[in-house]
Structure formats: C-alpha cells, structure tokens
Amino acid sequence: MPTVHKVKFPKAGVQANAPNQGRTEANRDIYGSSRWKKTSKNHLRDHPFCIRCAAKGKQTLATVTDHIVPINQNGEPWNSDNHQGLCLKCHQKKSARERHLAKQP
C-alpha cells in the first residue's frame, strides 16, 4: 500500500518565507546570531509598542525589531538608534515597500 503524505499549506494571514526576504545578501550571520536575538528581545522589552500603529493612535504590541535603515543599504546593524519596534503587519508593509523601491530603476 503506498504512503500518502499530507501537503502543508501556509496558515491564512501568514506570509510564506521569501528567499532572503528580498535582500541581495541574506545577513543570516546577523539575524541568526545569539547577539541579535538578545538585542531584539531587549529592544522589544524596552519599546513594547509598534511605533507606526502608535502614530495612528493605536496600541499594538511590537513583535519585530526592525532596522530603520536596512543593513543592505548601509544601515548600522548594532546601533540602537537604527532599531524600531513594529508589529508584524507594519513590518511586512515596510519590507514590501523597500522591495518595491529596490526594483525601481
């Protein structure tokens, strides 16, 4: 009897992982490091709300520590002045906009 494997589909509302998330360089050495994980966790602890939602008058918990100036655009990866807390939705919008702008001539 042949084995039937279940096909896994992404959950609704969850974006499938794009290769390198649109970056020319993966920066995996930074994002995968324990130093980044600690830095991100500490930033979210100190800045628990999404700054873009807060600007609209909403209180949404930040779940992502984002680089204001992306690393592949010479943003400083470890400078806390280049970090901001964003909710997943705002981070996805920002990343999509950056990918779109990167494709522009």
Side-chain angles (χ1 to χ4, degrees), residues 8-23:
K8 294 183 181 180
F9 294 99
K11 294 180 183 176
V14 177
Q15 181 181 11
N17 290 337
N20 298 336
Q21 296 181 357
R23 300 182 195 101

Side-chain angles (χ1 to χ4, degrees), residues 4 6 31 61 63 100 104:
V4 177
K6 291 184 179 180
Y31 292 116
L61 286 177
T63 56
H100 176 73
Q104 298 296 319

Side-chain angles (χ1 to χ4, degrees), residues 35-95:
R35 180 180 177 188
W36 173 252
K37 290 174 187 175
K38 289 176 188 175
T39 300
S40 176
K41 184 178 177 180
N42 290 336
H43 182 82
L44 292 174
R45 183 193 65 226
D46 296 340
H47 305 89
F49 297 104
C50 173
I51 63 159
R52 294 201 174 186
C53 288
K56 298 174 188 173
K58 296 188 282 183
Q59 273 195 329
T60 308
L61 286 177
T63 56
V64 179
T65 301
D66 177 63
H67 288 97
I68 298 167
V69 178
I71 296 171
N72 61 345
Q73 294 177 7
N74 298 321
E76 288 291 325
W78 305 112
N79 184 348
S80 62
D81 292 336
N82 192 33
H83 299 160
Q84 62 184 352
L86 297 176
C87 66
L88 181 61
K89 187 174 180 178
C90 289
H91 185 260
Q92 288 174 337
K93 285 181 183 180
K94 178 182 181 277
S95 296

